[in-house]
Amino acid sequence: MRAFGSLRHASRAVLALLALLPHLADAEKVAITFDDLPVNGSLPAGVTEADIVRRVLPIFAERGLPPMVGFINARKLEGNPAGAEALQLWMAGGQRVGNHTYGHIDLTTNSPEAFQREIDQNEPALLLLAADTQWRWFRYPYLHEGDTTEKRRAVRDYLQRRNYTIAQTTLDYEDYLWNSAYARCVDKKDDKAVAWLRSSYIETASAYLDANREMARIVFGREISHVLLLHLGAFSPEILPSLFDLLRAKGFEPATLEEAQSDAAYRSDPDYVSTNTGTLLEQHMDAKKLQYPRIPPKARKELAAICM
């Protein structure tokens, strides 16, 4: 059993004892995914997209994590050799890619036809990176699945005809909010601000992981396997070790996207429409008008203003 690298050197006797512990025997699987590759947000001066990938790959390897899917926007590769190098490094490091549309188009403000063209336009880059069909995972930009029933169903039908599987999300705390903030604080050499970014990130992640798990129990009446949405960016090499420690402490077991989405929960479709559809759990909660667990607000204003 994978456990974010924590059991690598344990003896067989210790492993046997640990297997009896309920929190490990009943561990919820989690697939870790990354959006907006090659990189989300701004970077510190002198740092490239390729530098970010070079720094995160050893973290994945040290923890013994299974291959993760990174969802790409090929428009970011235009005139950007470092972005192309980053994706080549990502693949060489044993990771995978999926479709996030060519230019991160919003289905809420665009037609199904325009959205479908962006899906198609992203495919040549995916084919260059991965010749097999493992890249036929699709993640909606902004998690927006359509503000009308017609849009939602038209795109879903199109994805099915194109043999895509929708990569859903059940764990999300908008981690991208920290990426550009961190880049600014590094450029200003503000160590105190960077320390606050670390603590605020982990506090927010912990609260939302707990709340999202509670939402799963509310919606499905049981624990489910989860899919965590992250955004690869400037803060990733700094914060991922602490995040992986947090996931381990909460009893999550790392899994591939296929393993996580083999859970029957992912065969459910709330058929919910909104200008701001969210995770699979949020769609079910909203469609059924269920009461959300109490979740602390994110520090959006503070993150937008820090190190400006």
Side-chain angles (χ1 to χ4, degrees):
M1 175 171 59
R2 305 183 190 99
F4 294 95
S6 62
L7 305 181
R8 187 178 302 166
H9 303 297
S11 68
R12 290 184 179 181
V14 172
L15 287 172
L17 289 172
L18 288 174
L20 299 176
L21 295 177
H23 79 278
L24 284 178
D26 299 327
E28 294 160 87
K29 292 180 180 178
V30 60
I32 301 167
T33 63
F34 291 88
D35 279 11
D36 302 352
L37 266 65
V39 160
N40 164 273
S42 57
L43 296 173
V47 175
T48 70
E49 294 93 330
D51 293 332
I52 297 298
V53 174
R54 285 192 188 94
R55 290 184 61 194
V56 298
L57 288 175
I59 298 171
F60 300 161
E62 180 182 348
R63 301 299 177 114
L65 298 180
M68 287 167 277
V69 179
F71 293 90
I72 75 168
N73 303 118
R75 177 173 287 172
K76 293 184 176 183
L77 304 178
E78 294 179 2
N80 183 11
E85 182 186 5
L87 291 182
Q88 290 168 347
L89 290 168
W90 179 263
M91 298 301 294
Q95 307 310 312
R96 296 166 54 193
V97 287
N99 199 328
H100 200 38
T101 76
Y102 184 75
H104 209 274
I105 188 174
D106 188 346
L107 182 54
T108 296
T109 55
N110 287 276
S111 69
E113 294 76 19
F115 195 78
Q116 291 161 16
R117 285 194 296 271
E118 285 254 340
I119 294 172
D120 293 347
Q121 195 175 359
N122 213 37
E123 289 186 355
L126 291 162
L127 283 164
L128 283 173
L129 290 164
D132 56 33
T133 58
Q134 282 195 317
W135 55 265
R136 286 194 180 272
W137 285 93
F138 181 78
R139 171 71 52 72
Y140 285 87
Y142 310 102
L143 301 183
H144 289 178
E145 294 195 27
D147 57 321
T148 68
T149 300
E150 293 74 20
K151 277 188 183 183
R152 180 184 177 92
R153 294 178 181 175
V155 172
R156 280 183 167 247
D157 287 347
Y158 180 79
L159 291 170
Q160 186 175 29
R161 292 196 306 272
R162 298 283 292 160
N163 297 316
Y164 279 99
T165 301
I166 297 171
Q168 292 287 3
T169 301
T170 58
L171 304 176
D172 176 32
Y173 46 91
E174 295 182 291
D175 70 305
Y176 66 88
L177 294 168
W178 280 262
N179 277 329
S180 293
Y182 175 76
R184 295 193 303 269
C185 292
V186 167
D187 283 342
K188 291 199 170 187
K189 298 180 173 55
D190 191 333
D191 293 340
K192 183 177 180 181
V194 169
W196 178 83
L197 289 173
R198 291 193 199 101
S199 62
S200 64
Y201 181 104
I202 293 299
E203 289 170 6
T204 301
S206 180
Y208 275 77
L209 290 171
D210 291 344
N212 291 162
R213 293 167 103 176
E214 178 60 24
M215 287 162 58
R217 290 187 284 268
I218 292 171
V219 170
F220 295 107
R222 63 179 177 87
E223 294 179 343
I224 68 170
S225 295
H226 287 280
V227 179
L228 172 61
L229 168 59
L230 299 176
H231 294 77
L232 192 68
F235 201 31
S236 298
E238 176 76 20
I239 201 63
L240 284 180
S242 296
L243 173 61
F244 294 158
D245 288 343
L246 177 66
L247 291 169
R248 182 185 62 205
K250 290 184 178 293
F252 283 106
E253 177 186 338
T256 65
L257 190 52
E258 287 86 354
E259 289 170 340
Q261 290 206 184
S262 67
D263 190 307
Y266 294 91
R267 294 193 288 276
S268 66
D269 177 10
D271 203 26
Y272 178 72
V273 297
S274 168
T275 57
N276 189 31
T277 49
T279 68
L280 178 64
L281 294 175
E282 289 170 332
Q283 291 183 45
H284 275 293
M285 295 287 289
D286 293 340
K288 299 173 183 177
K289 296 181 170 55
L290 299 172
Q291 184 173 351
Y292 279 74
R294 181 169 294 183
I295 309 175
K298 303 183 188 79
R300 294 179 182 277
K301 292 183 179 178
E302 294 86 346
L303 289 167
I306 197 168
C307 297
M308 293 296 287

